[in-house]
Amino acid sequence: MFSLPLDMLAQASVPITRVQTPSPGIGAMVALVLFIAASVWLGTIAQKVVERSSFIQGYFQGNRGLGAWTIALTATVQSGGTFMGFPSLVYTSGWIVALWIASYMVVPITGFGLLGKRIAQISRRTGAVTMPDLFRARFASPTAGLVTSLLIILFMSIMMIAQFKAGAVVMKIAWPGSGQLAISEDAQAQVDWIYLIGLAVFSLTVVGYTLIGGFLAAVWTDLLQSVMMFIGVTILVCLAIPAVGGLENATRQAVQNVEWTARNKGATPAAAANAGIQYASGPGLRGDGVTPYLPLAMAFSFFCFWPFAGTASPASVVRIMACKDTGVLRRSIFLLAVYNMGIYLPLIAICISARALMPNLGGKSDEVIPRMALALTSEFPLGTGSWVAGIILAAPFGAIMATVSSYLLVIASGLVRDVYQRFVNPHVTDHEIRRLTYVVMGLIGLVAAAMNIFPVKHLQMLVVFSSGCAASSFLIPTVMMCYWRRATATGTIAAMLAGAAASLTLNLVGLFQAYAKTGQFANFTPYYLLQFEPIVWGLLVSLVVGIAVSLVTRPPDEAVVSKLFDAPSAD
């Protein structure tokens, strides 16, 4: 439909913009509204199920009844970063990003296989409802539970806030006749009312259905959204690859466009040619279109990043705790691996195709997937393209809603159950917990929306920052909790704090380096000590400190340890 002959691609001396992003039709917005209505309807159904049991068990864990398909398609790592931040990196940096994202295929094995069964066993034997409950019960230490809660609240809040921008952007893109897709990144610019309306609609929707139905609302809508993600990505890849005449043609034209961009930024012909080679074969390019992206140590770090980050993610741990039995976990490992492959591999092909079709997105590269959805459906007959675009746009919108709803529950449970009930008012009634949970969830949504009136510039940077710091905090302590009898409460707390401090410090060093060079905090990258990502150092420091402190402190109570390690397995 849009393809050019190969010889024309090879001879092009300037970037060829073969598709323009049209304004969306009414069908795109109607499709999103129907999707929102379905999510709210599922929330109301979930509320009826929650009311059949105690509020805490039903609202925060869904009575431990999740099956294999539900676990596989809801305990995922998809978020706004999946459809905005990650595609932006592929579009900008090239094929090398496939090496990073390939590690998503082993996330189910590391997360469910390594820790899933033990987490489910400990949860059932102790009656734990949240991740802080697990640490509190495992080590008979309220302090361990409190530290876990505070770190979860800190890093999950940062991750969740970043998603609100993504949700608002999708809503704006679907707005009929919205014209320019990009929102202004300049805090001094005129207020963008369409973006703000989208932000309000997104915030009210996701906070509303999560508040109504709790954990089950998040799970059921997450399941619906996961299906929509798969459908949307499948439709888009089937449109994108024929549009560029295959992936070979897409890569050739993308390389040509990269070389033109490099020359336009002052690079010599040799440097521009080298940039094109890097885009196609590695190490890839940074945002300036010239500088190499991934040295070998960094590529190694990024391959390890997501399996480590997803293994002990608080949102995923809660889903694992809610499964029916360990047989469900085994089946879900295979299902989730296949699902991740069906999401991320097509996204890579779509974004390489986008660099050929839309070479000049520049700072708007976060919008590459929505722009491709609108552009590739614009020529559909009888206005059907608008509806198809709406279905495709439901994919990123669903991923964002799923992430926000999960994090809302994790943060609210941390504040209400793990902080307020445990340390402020231990005798609080079930009714009071319900009311306070609603208030806290509403306030969290309000704060997140307010912080996105002038949103962050690059979503993926916040996603990587918060995910890396969370993994550095929780992965080693969780492994210690599950498998090391000699691990102590003090050692586990030390491991959490040391890992968080190491990862956070390297990120802050990068932040202040960016400020020293540019006079602003935007566009920072972490400080890569010996070219390794901060998560590598965070996990290493956490491991060393956790083992050392546990060995020099008093061993845990053998009665507590025996209950969790020696009891006959009926799980």
Side-chain angles (χ1 to χ4, degrees), residues 39 60 81 184 233 235 245 319 340 368 410:
S39 298
F60 291 123
S184 173
V233 170
I235 293 174
R319 303 292 173 95
N340 281 346
V368 60
V410 170

Side-chain angles (χ1 to χ4, degrees), residues 513-536:
Q513 282 182 337
Y515 184 80
K517 291 180 181 178
T518 64
Q520 57 183 2
F521 289 116
N523 298 326
F524 90 96
T525 56
Y527 177 67
Y528 299 122
L529 181 61
L530 300 180
Q531 295 188 334
F532 286 99
E533 221 278 341
I535 190 175
V536 174

Side-chain angles (χ1 to χ4, degrees), residues 481-513:
M481 173 188 68
C482 289
Y483 293 110
W484 193 24
R485 300 174 67 106
R486 182 61 177 79
T488 66
T490 305
T492 304
I493 294 171
M496 285 186 195
L497 297 177
S503 188
L504 187 60
T505 297
L506 292 173
N507 277 279
L508 291 177
V509 169
L511 181 67
F512 285 107
Q513 282 182 337

Side-chain angles (χ1 to χ4, degrees), residues 107-118 329 333 483:
V107 165
I109 300 173
T110 56
F112 293 179
L114 176 63
L115 297 175
K117 181 177 180 178
R118 284 293 294 148
L329 286 176
I333 289 174
Y483 293 110

